[in-house]
Amino acid sequence: MVTVRTVISVAASKGWHLFQMDVNNAFLQGDLAEESAHDHSLFTKKHETDIVIILIYVDDLLITGNSKFFIEEAKSTLHKCFKVKDLGELRYFLRIEVMRSKEGVLLNQRKYALELISDAGLSGCKPVATPMELNHKLTTVNYDNHVDRTDDAQLEEVGAYQRLVGKLLYLTITRLDIYALQYRF
């Protein structure tokens, strides 16, 4: 995610356009027959002062650069080699909304957060500053057995809890204050 934020930041600071493409059937393109220590997600092409940057994340491509010619050439090459869909100007990438203004680029996960609230069944709930008891200790079943604690209900669906924690951590990409909340108390 650092690479995504860096490429968007460079494009914003340089005033470059950001474009998005989507690869159809990305997992059906073939097998890699070699091992490499190189990053296979970031590609650049430079000629004199012109540059185009292509960032690939699974089947999503982010394209930017200072040369419209290089960008169009890259898009054309991708169309010839793969089944890709040109999604135009970058608006939504990896569940992150990208909004441009004269001042720069704003990354926003509002839609993702609302989906997360809905998926957790909390759409009708009223927001509170601290939805959980302060300093609540979460323990493992092994720990509870070791100290003979029986009053602590066991989590029924561990996988659902783990997925929710992962989704909340992903939400901290643009909302660092969510991550910081756990250290305020």
Side-chain angles (χ1 to χ4, degrees):
M1 207 42 156
V2 171
T3 306
V4 174
R5 292 176 71 163
T6 302
V7 169
I8 292 173
S9 176
V10 167
S13 68
K14 303 279 187 185
W16 297 346
H17 289 280
L18 288 159
F19 298 97
Q20 181 176 6
M21 296 181 87
D22 184 64
V23 179
N24 296 334
N25 301 321
F27 297 107
L28 303 177
Q29 297 296 337
D31 296 327
L32 294 175
E34 61 188 54
E35 291 288 325
S36 174
H38 300 288
D39 184 350
H40 289 289
S41 63
L42 184 65
F43 300 89
T44 61
K45 181 178 178 181
K46 187 172 184 183
H47 179 70
E48 295 177 3
T49 60
D50 294 334
I51 188 168
V52 65
I53 299 170
I54 301 174
L55 176 66
I56 301 172
Y57 191 88
V58 185
D59 63 346
D60 294 315
L61 286 78
L62 187 153
I63 303 170
T64 190
N66 66 351
S67 168
K68 286 190 177 188
F69 174 78
F70 267 22
I71 291 171
E72 290 305 318
E73 182 183 57
K75 286 182 179 183
S76 177
T77 301
L78 289 167
H79 276 292
K80 289 176 188 171
C81 297
F82 304 99
K83 284 186 172 182
V84 292
K85 182 178 181 182
D86 190 341
L87 302 174
E89 286 277 339
L90 181 65
R91 302 261 187 262
Y92 201 68
F93 190 73
L94 306 177
R95 304 192 125 199
I96 300 170
E97 187 177 3
V98 181
M99 297 176 285
R100 291 196 81 143
S101 70
K102 292 175 185 173
E103 289 81 33
V105 174
L106 176 67
L107 303 179
N108 176 326
Q109 287 180 290
R110 182 180 185 277
K111 182 178 177 187
Y112 177 71
L114 293 173
E115 288 172 1
L116 183 57
I117 290 168
S118 177
D119 290 348
L122 300 172
S123 296
C125 296
K126 294 180 182 178
V128 295
T130 308
M132 184 179 221
E133 174 187 324
L134 288 177
N135 300 318
H136 187 77
K137 303 291 186 219
L138 299 175
T139 60
T140 65
V141 173
N142 291 341
Y143 176 80
D144 288 350
N145 290 338
H146 180 72
V147 296
D148 291 325
R149 186 172 180 185
T150 58
D151 62 332
D152 191 12
Q154 185 174 339
L155 188 62
E156 293 178 24
E157 179 61 47
V158 175
Y161 174 76
Q162 291 170 334
R163 284 187 296 278
L164 179 60
V165 169
K167 290 176 181 181
L168 289 169
L169 287 172
Y170 188 73
L171 189 60
T172 64
I173 291 170
T174 58
R175 290 295 309 261
L176 298 175
D177 57 332
I178 293 172
Y179 182 72
L181 283 176
Q182 66 181 324
Y183 296 107
R184 285 191 199 154
F185 301 108

